[in-house]
Amino acid sequence: DVKQYPECIRKMYRENWVLEGFLNNIMERELERLSKVWGEEGGRPKIQMIQGNIADLPVIVDAIVNAANPPMLGGGGVDGALHKAAGPGLKAECKTFPEIAPGVRCLPTDHKITKAYDLKADYVFHACGPIFPAASDRNLMPGEYISVTPFEDLVATYRGIINRADALRLNTIAVPALSAGAYGGTIE
């Protein structure tokens, strides 16, 4: 069901579709900020929620966000699925980004942009979300660290993506749950 963005977020909030506690507070603050920016008139972005494989979207979007790791060369979960679906060109382009440190092309809370190759999009935003303390037993790869402020860092990651998409005047963007899975974030 496609709805005007603020109304959709309110519905999600009322029906407990969103995370409890901290993230609900963020949603409320974001709604307040957006209502000031957009006013009561039209021009609001629309949001559509689709459950499924982000690498095999049923629609074409301007950009797909990849839950990347610092090397940006593929991995498991969303990262591996997008690299596989995009074809070898994606990995080849990711290798062109200079290493900030050995094996590190993108730091947590940051993102890099590439072409989408065989995906149903124009761009891929490779976003490295924070690692939650729940994943403290994982073997960290170069550039990874356990965040002491994971929720704030996660918000900063999403905000950076949205601001960049807005600056590029993108109309549609597919965003997965960042920092979930191996990075210890949950939807509970």
Side-chain angles (χ1 to χ4, degrees):
D1 190 24
V2 178
K3 298 190 178 293
Q4 294 291 335
Y5 181 69
E7 288 79 8
C8 183
I9 297 297
R10 284 189 186 100
K11 180 179 183 205
M12 289 168 53
Y13 184 76
R14 282 193 310 270
E15 295 180 7
N16 295 318
W17 289 4
V18 295
L19 305 178
E20 296 297 322
F22 183 80
L23 291 180
N24 280 342
N25 293 334
I26 292 168
M27 298 296 260
E28 286 296 315
R29 287 194 306 264
E30 193 66 10
L31 273 174
E32 185 177 322
R33 183 187 72 79
L34 291 173
S35 65
K36 290 176 185 172
V37 171
W38 294 326
E40 295 302 317
E41 300 304 315
R44 296 178 176 136
K46 293 181 180 178
I47 186 169
Q48 182 179 14
M49 291 177 226
I50 301 171
Q51 182 177 358
N53 182 351
I54 196 168
D56 188 28
L57 293 173
V59 295
I60 297 173
V61 296
D62 293 326
I64 296 175
V65 176
N66 178 20
N69 55 37
M72 292 176 48
L73 300 178
V78 170
D79 194 19
L82 287 177
H83 272 268
K84 182 178 179 183
L90 183 62
K91 186 172 187 175
E93 185 174 351
C94 286
K95 285 182 178 181
T96 67
F97 284 91
E99 290 186 348
I100 303 162
V104 179
R105 291 177 177 82
C106 187
L107 293 172
T109 74
D110 198 6
H111 65 276
K112 307 290 183 192
I113 300 176
T114 64
K115 291 184 239 174
Y117 298 91
D118 294 338
L119 296 169
K120 293 178 184 175
D122 294 321
Y123 304 102
V124 174
F125 285 39
H126 303 267
C128 290
I131 299 177
F132 281 68
S136 62
D137 61 343
R138 99 183 233 114
N139 291 326
L140 298 177
M141 57 178 34
E144 291 184 335
Y145 57 89
I146 306 298
S147 175
V148 295
T149 56
F151 289 107
E152 290 87 346
D153 291 346
L154 185 58
V155 169
T157 306
Y158 280 114
R159 186 165 281 143
I161 292 163
I162 292 167
N163 288 340
R164 187 73 173 276
D166 186 49
L168 293 171
R169 301 199 183 284
L170 302 182
N171 292 312
T172 53
I173 184 167
V175 184
L178 297 174
S179 292
Y183 276 20
T186 67
I187 57 171
E188 296 171 356

